[in-house]
Amino acid sequence: MKNWNSPGEHITLPAPADVSSGAFVTVGAIRGVAQGAAAAGEEVVLVRRGVFDLPKVAAEAWTTGAKVYWDATAKLMTTIDTDNALVGAATALAAGGSATGRVLLDGVIR
């Protein structure tokens, strides 16, 4: 195919703000985890699929398989869907009081 470009699992885009390696990043409707650090406007590689340990709302306890959403205001993962973007599912239990949760990003743009 002459029009094929890439599988899209890793995509290089301009960073919307300063980002650190491992940070969850959104560029419009595209979401992923930064493969490295980048200053605002510099290119950053986003990994769109895979399992990542990401910052979550500490007060929440997660069950395996729970839908996980991105709260863009708090900059945390949450199981609350109201006004938040679905990004994947929890792949492990996360106790209330824990600051991180294990999330499967499925790469689907919603």
Side-chain angles (χ1 to χ4, degrees), residues 17 24 26 54-57 69-78:
F24 188 78
T26 62
L54 295 171
K56 72 173 204 47
V57 174
Y69 302 83
W70 174 243
D71 181 336
T73 302
K75 305 279 191 243
L76 297 170
M77 296 293 162
T78 180

Side-chain angles (χ1 to χ4, degrees), residues 19-105:
V19 298
S20 56
S21 180
F24 188 78
V25 177
T26 62
V27 179
I30 301 170
R31 299 173 184 93
V33 175
Q35 195 172 49
E42 291 182 347
E43 290 190 340
V44 63
V45 175
L46 297 184
V47 182
R48 298 183 52 247
R49 292 180 190 258
V51 179
F52 300 90
D53 291 333
L54 295 171
K56 72 173 204 47
V57 174
E60 295 178 0
W62 292 3
T63 58
T64 302
K67 290 181 180 179
V68 175
Y69 302 83
W70 174 243
D71 181 336
T73 302
K75 305 279 191 243
L76 297 170
M77 296 293 162
T78 180
T79 55
I80 306 299
D81 65 349
T82 306
D83 297 326
N84 297 317
L86 180 64
V87 296
T91 62
L93 296 174
S98 63
T100 61
R102 190 154 289 165
V103 180
L104 168 65
L105 299 181

